[in-house]
Amino acid sequence: MEEEFKIAGISVARGETRRIELPIVRLYTDTEMAIPVYVHRGKKRGPTIFVCAAIHGDELNGVEIISRLINSRALKSLTGTLIAVPVVNVYGVLQQSRYLPDRRDLNRSFPGSARGSLASRMAHVFLDEVVSKCDYGIDLHTGALHRSNLPQIRANLDDEETRNMANAFGVPVMLNSTLRDGSLRQAAADLGVRILLYEAGEALRFDELCIRAGVKGVLNVLRHLKMLPQRRGKQGIEPFIARRSGWLRAGDSGIVNHKKQLGDHVRKGEILATIADLYGNELDKVLCDADGIIIGKQNIPLVQEGEAMYHIAYFHEPQEVLENLELLQDTLLPEENF
């Protein structure tokens, strides 16, 4: 007999869809708080995957990605189990803040503890009730406040199965990213759960291109895992792996005039931005240190000395990456039906 599948003590049978409230720590007003969890089980046995968003409460693109995902007609033919969590850090979303009320970063609090801080308890509940029940995961993120990220996948690309998932997602840029202590990716890896991190857009903003790329990417991964039927005649994007990336920082404080934008191919020695004082006198030039693609960028035109301004991914053939970025934009047409 098949083992019973439960979340928060609620059973979900094969062929069933449930919306579950996963209880977490109450507010000091005695208001109950819960993480919303959507579980969709296909009639046939298959892998279990979670897709989650808003571990940082100001990163909202993923919320919309999951909303569109769970309403996609494609899920009618799902094999296996999809667990979709549109908001993990419910406290942060309420406050439009990256952090929890105790000022901790939830994505540095895993695996957590049932007796620890608020962040630690939330991490423990999410890991125990959701992640531990899965074979795979996709964690949806955006850039920080006033910073935008180009659609990209970060993962342990030295693991072949994870790399194949990342390829299937179908965005032009993949970063071979090391695991950080306390992160969801680290905790998932310790449980043997292979996981992708999708970065795209800016905090507290919806970006339509990034959202469409995210929905399409998740569905691509489900097809790769044979949880959904393959689509015929669809040309995929061949991603490029960056083994190295770095931030370029301001050499002075002042007003920024950006010369280059997100997704631009830049060459060593090229001027990316100038920094001037309040009277328009140039104080500094931000120069590119090597050929690459801008995958992250500060948006606010004010900068402090030493502040990170441009995130550059370094590739051997950046022009081919640029061509695939243009292909991604062309394929994500508004009328495309997922």
Side-chain angles (χ1 to χ4, degrees), residues 17-318:
T17 298
R18 297 291 297 268
R19 289 178 171 85
I20 298 171
E21 299 294 315
L22 181 58
I24 47 175
V25 182
R26 294 193 306 272
L27 297 177
Y28 43 67
T29 58
D30 204 32
T31 303
E32 296 287 347
M33 297 293 287
I35 298 172
V37 180
Y38 172 94
V39 183
H40 180 72
R41 302 197 75 199
K43 294 180 180 179
K44 295 181 181 179
R45 185 190 301 271
T48 300
I49 186 171
F50 76 87
V51 183
C52 69
I55 278 185
H56 295 131
D58 59 356
E59 298 183 358
L60 303 181
N61 266 342
V63 179
E64 180 64 12
I65 290 171
I66 290 179
S67 174
R68 297 187 192 186
L69 173 68
I70 64 178
N71 286 288
S72 170
R73 290 182 293 178
L75 293 188
K76 292 180 180 179
S77 54
L78 183 76
T79 294
T81 301
L82 168 68
I83 305 174
V85 185
V87 173
V88 180
N89 182 0
V90 290
Y91 305 97
V93 171
L94 284 171
Q95 297 296 318
Q96 300 178 20
S97 167
R98 179 181 180 89
Y99 303 106
L100 287 159
D102 59 4
R103 296 302 300 164
R104 285 181 169 87
D105 185 336
L106 183 56
N107 207 28
R108 298 293 179 269
S109 302
F110 289 93
S113 165
R115 297 178 178 272
S117 65
L118 171 61
S120 184
R121 291 178 188 223
M122 281 190 69
H124 171 75
V125 167
F126 186 68
L127 199 66
D128 186 54
E129 290 284 356
V130 175
V131 180
S132 66
K133 295 176 170 65
C134 296
D135 305 297
Y136 305 99
I138 302 175
D139 184 17
L140 307 173
H141 285 261
T142 76
L145 194 62
H146 304 310
R147 286 184 185 167
S148 295
N149 281 336
L150 195 72
Q152 60 196 260
I153 287 291
R154 301 180 185 182
N156 174 18
L157 302 178
D158 293 324
D159 176 74
E160 184 178 6
E161 191 172 354
T162 304
R163 185 172 65 252
N164 290 338
M165 285 174 58
N167 271 314
F169 196 97
V171 290
V173 175
M174 302 193 306
L175 289 180
N176 191 43
S177 180
T178 56
L179 297 172
R180 291 191 175 185
D181 289 343
S183 69
L184 173 60
R185 277 210 304 136
Q186 174 72 69
D190 290 343
L191 292 174
V193 179
R194 288 178 166 86
I195 185 170
L196 304 180
L197 190 152
Y198 174 62
E199 284 271 6
E202 180 185 2
L204 296 176
R205 299 287 185 273
F206 274 0
D207 183 302
E208 185 63 22
L209 175 68
C210 296
I211 291 167
R212 287 182 170 275
V215 176
K216 187 173 183 179
V218 174
L219 291 173
N220 284 343
V221 171
L222 294 179
R223 293 185 180 103
H224 167 74
L225 296 173
K226 296 181 171 54
M227 297 177 70
L228 291 177
Q230 292 290 337
R231 298 180 77 177
R232 296 180 181 177
K234 289 289 182 178
Q235 180 185 2
I237 290 173
E238 182 65 31
F240 286 78
I241 297 175
R243 295 283 173 177
R244 187 169 66 92
S245 70
W247 280 93
L248 300 179
R249 298 181 180 274
D252 213 326
S253 303
I255 311 299
V256 179
N257 181 11
H258 289 284
K259 305 293 185 181
K260 296 294 181 179
Q261 302 301 322
L262 205 63
D264 283 354
H265 170 203
V266 291
R267 300 184 182 279
K268 184 176 181 178
E270 198 167 1
I271 298 173
L272 305 186
T274 58
I275 302 172
D277 64 17
L278 296 176
Y279 303 100
N281 300 308
E282 187 176 291
L283 302 173
D284 187 40
K285 292 184 177 71
V286 182
L287 303 178
C288 189
D289 59 350
D291 291 6
I293 298 287
I294 298 174
I295 62 168
K297 174 183 167 291
Q298 179 195 24
N299 294 326
I300 193 169
L302 308 171
V303 70
Q304 290 292 140
E305 182 178 352
E307 192 170 350
M309 294 182 65
Y310 291 94
H311 191 192
I312 311 294
Y314 304 108
F315 298 92
H316 294 302
E317 300 176 7

